[in-house]
Amino acid sequence: MCVICGCSGSSSLSTVQTADKTKDAMAQPAGQHLHFGLNPAGVSVPGISTERAIQLEQNVLSANNSIAQQNRVHFHDHGVLALNFVSSPGSGKTTLLCASLALLKQQHPEICLAVIEGDQQTSVDADRIRATGVEAVQVNTGKGCHLDAPMVAQAFGQLPVHDHGGILMIENVGNLVCPAMWDLGEAAKVAVLSVTEGEDKPLKYPDMFAAASVMLLNKVDLLPYVSFSVSQCLVNARRVNPHIQIIEVSATTGAGMASWLSWLLRHYQSVRDHDHDHDHDHDHDHHGHDHDHHDHGHPHGHSH
């Protein structure tokens, strides 16, 4: 996990230690199954005990989760549906986002849209998002392999959905491991898997697909040209997460996009309905307070 293994740049784990670990693993007899994630920490880090690894992870994630909860409340109070898009590099995540945004702008121009774009370097993807006419904030993580809640909080304050409500799409750094454990305050994680990757991805990276509410099986237009079993992929995904919803899409041909947007809009409407109920309850409570204040002036007017 990046909290303690050093890939976020916060650990002192050295290149020599990493090389030694790899060399030791390679020295094992051929065909032997080595598993470094069976201890309670779920990870092996040279020089760090299992107990210490668990404590480090809890400390770091606790600080992040506190900000994530603030983000969640903030999104709720502003009528924002925030979705965390996660995938391997090359899944077509940005192309899919651009296609989704273009259709939403065309079909529902009343909805305010925004994107937080996460990459280690460059603003290439954020520039692609802005070309659709949608506001985007680029977040470069440097050596970091994921977005975290404080990054999202800072970026959110710079976007128009902060003031107007709407749909916020958070494109995480391309990585199917670390983003699984980092809560950003999102309503749901959306895992994007392309048919060019392999139907075994959900089994190889179970934490991510277990954490996702929906999986977009992308690039289905390429199915005639690749060796990919859709049925086996669905079995694998549901083996990891029986409740995951799966939508087959192609950002290039538009196949399945109507189903995907229907899911998106249904969840956005749920947020808006909840926000409306919250406003109604607030107004009711406010009037109730005025009524109670009036009763205080006429103590015998009502019995309790």
Side-chain angles (χ1 to χ4, degrees), residues 205-220:
Y205 304 94
D207 288 350
M208 182 58 75
F209 291 90
S213 298
V214 61
M215 182 180 87
L216 301 180
L217 184 57
N218 195 23
K219 303 185 183 181
V220 294

Side-chain angles (χ1 to χ4, degrees), residues 29 43 85 187:
V43 66
F85 288 78

